[in-house]
Amino acid sequence: MLSRRDFLKLVVKGAVLGNFYQLISPPLAEAVAAGEVKKLPVVMIETGTCTGDSISLDNIWTPTFSDILTNITDWRYDWTMMQAQGDAAYQVLQETYEKMPNEYILIVQGSMIQRDGGHYNHVAYENGKLVTGLELVRRLGLKAKYVVAIGHCATYGGPVAGYPNPTQSTGVQNILPERRVINVSGCPAHPDWIMGTLLHLALYGEPELEKYGRPKLFYGETIHNRCPRRRYYDQGIFATEIGQKECLFRVGCKGPVTYADCPIRRWNDHINWPIGCNTPCIGCTEPGYPDLMSPFTVHLPDIPFPGGTKVNTDAIGLGVLGLTSIAITGHVATSLYKGRIQKNLLRTSVKAQHRPAVKKVKTFHQYRLKKT
């Protein structure tokens, strides 16, 4: 027979996977009150950030943000959300660091700014001197039970680290090589991705991560594989302008190289998402964004896949054609016979003249544009 704790784990995992977050709050609150589940001590540090991930989390519908703060977590420090300010707030952070080592979860939002010792980003004032985000994240991260980077800036550097990267910005993992950092990427990260990761840490421990440190629970499949317009891609029916209802691959969609569950999770209480609004995915969860995904609305002949491999879109089309033709039936066979799939997949409908090439360089930022 399942124990109450095991049953609660099943409820939470099913709710996370199925977007039924309204199932979580009541039983979890009861379990916390009964002492069966310990609240997560959480501290959040914002570094080089626009605070977009805090806004995203604040917009979560179920559980509500109030549930998160009162029933699910012990949200101890977050200068944007907490009522206390100044020395009173910073004292809470210091007490957490000193009295709860290896118990608290450190959440980092924002890129790690390294230029001139990090002094372009100050996050605290301690003993008469300014404390940099670089220093505070390293200090807290070395004693945290888990380190979670949320948003693209904290995970991989984000737009702040875009070429030419004058502030030498980077992700949290690069300044905390001693620790495994759980990356919840996105610009911003979906509130369910953030909350789902925290719930997994509370009930199961560290989630299974893929090679870029992201939870497979949310980043295990490409957007392309789950896209409701995939049938258009397979048949070679592509939009030629933004706003059309067909596959947006030829007008810049980066879904084939972007790992996230946006098609099934969606945004704003699971109502809509970019492709549902007839605009292409811009690949905001992937390492190398935004440089490698730019221009956002231009179909790139060479798509850089995760890991550095560059594949020509014609090759992608031939690969899809080869795989689907194995089990082809009905109207797809007719499409093959008429040549529609080959014609559409092998002809780029949108081409940009004088498109800059991309090359690797040995600088703080990994990529730069090569003059044409």
Side-chain angles (χ1 to χ4, degrees):
M1 180 179 290
L2 288 175
S3 67
R4 176 182 168 85
R5 181 179 176 84
D6 290 336
F7 175 73
L8 181 62
K9 286 183 178 182
L10 289 175
V11 169
V12 171
K13 190 166 186 178
V16 170
L17 287 170
N19 293 336
F20 303 123
Y21 273 88
Q22 63 269 24
L23 299 176
I24 295 176
S25 297
L28 189 57
E30 293 174 8
V32 169
E36 297 173 8
V37 176
K38 187 176 180 181
K39 281 188 177 183
L40 291 168
V42 173
V43 297
M44 180 188 285
I45 303 298
E46 295 188 40
T47 52
T49 177
C50 67
T51 316
D53 298 286
S54 288
I55 296 171
S56 178
L57 183 60
D58 190 27
N59 285 328
I60 194 169
W61 285 71
T62 51
T64 65
F65 195 68
S66 175
D67 286 332
I68 295 171
L69 296 181
T70 58
N71 298 329
I72 299 173
T73 67
D74 178 11
W75 206 274
R76 300 183 63 81
Y77 181 85
D78 178 353
W79 67 266
T80 300
M81 299 296 179
M82 64 194 306
Q83 291 180 327
Q85 295 292 317
D87 292 339
Y90 195 65
Q91 184 63 36
V92 174
L93 181 64
Q94 288 181 310
E95 289 178 359
T96 304
Y97 170 75
E98 294 169 0
K99 298 180 180 180
M100 305 176 72
N102 302 312
E103 293 183 29
Y104 62 87
I105 295 175
L106 171 64
I107 298 178
V108 183
Q109 176 183 185
S111 63
M112 304 311 304
I113 296 174
Q114 301 180 99
R115 181 72 176 267
D116 295 337
H119 284 284
Y120 295 101
N121 174 236
H122 295 114
V123 296
Y125 190 74
E126 180 181 331
N127 298 326
K129 75 165 191 173
L130 292 167
V131 180
T132 67
L134 195 65
E135 176 186 349
L136 189 60
V137 168
R138 273 200 55 80
R139 185 198 309 172
L140 295 172
L142 291 174
K143 281 194 175 183
K145 183 175 183 179
Y146 301 108
V147 180
V148 180
I150 63 171
H152 202 283
C153 289
T155 53
Y156 310 121
V160 184
Y163 175 79
N165 194 12
T167 56
Q168 298 173 0
S169 298
T170 189
V172 176
Q173 184 67 83
N174 289 336
I175 64 101
L176 267 177
E178 306 93 335
R179 297 297 309 271
R180 175 180 295 197
V181 176
I182 300 170
N183 290 323
V184 183
S185 62
C187 192
H190 195 290
D192 288 2
W193 301 341
I194 301 171
M195 198 62 239
T197 300
L198 292 179
L199 287 169
H200 199 290
L201 292 174
L203 297 171
Y204 302 94
E206 185 178 288
E208 183 182 3
L209 306 177
E210 44 88 84
K211 63 181 179 180
Y212 293 111
R214 300 174 294 191
K216 284 187 176 181
L217 185 66
F218 307 115
Y219 303 92
E221 290 279 347
T222 63
I223 284 177
H224 181 67
N225 284 349
R226 290 172 164 171
C227 182
R229 303 191 188 191
R230 173 64 185 267
R231 65 186 185 278
Y232 291 124
Y233 180 94
D234 290 343
Q235 296 180 69
I237 304 174
F238 297 101
T240 56
E241 294 179 0
I242 292 174
Q244 296 177 346
K245 66 178 182 179
E246 295 82 13
C247 175
L248 297 165
F249 179 57
R250 293 287 172 83
V251 290
C253 183
K254 307 305 187 296
V257 296
T258 303
Y259 285 79
D261 64 1
C262 300
I264 62 172
R265 192 167 300 279
R266 304 189 180 187
W267 295 74
N268 299 324
D269 196 21
H270 317 296
I271 291 174
N272 210 340
W273 66 304
I275 291 176
C277 296
N278 299 320
T279 61
C281 165
I282 61 175
C284 74
T285 62
E286 292 305 299
Y289 167 86
D291 289 10
L292 286 182
M293 301 298 176
S294 299
F296 294 147
T297 57
V298 173
H299 172 51
L300 301 178
D302 290 319
I303 297 269
F305 278 75
T309 303
K310 295 180 73 176
V311 179
N312 188 275
T313 50
D314 290 350
I316 295 174
L318 287 171
V320 172
L321 180 60
L323 289 174
T324 55
S325 63
I326 295 174
I328 213 80
T329 57
H331 72 279
V332 181
T334 303
S335 297
L336 279 169
Y337 178 75
K338 292 181 178 180
R340 186 172 64 179
I341 292 180
Q342 296 95 324
K343 179 179 68 176
N344 285 281
L345 285 176
L346 299 179
R347 180 186 301 165
T348 301
S349 59
V350 180
K351 291 182 179 290
Q353 295 181 352
H354 309 297
R355 184 178 288 107
V358 177
K359 69 176 184 179
K360 293 183 180 180
V361 293
K362 295 180 179 179
T363 63
F364 286 93
H365 185 52
Q366 193 175 5
Y367 298 93
R368 64 178 298 177
L369 297 177
K370 182 171 65 176
K371 293 182 180 180
T372 58

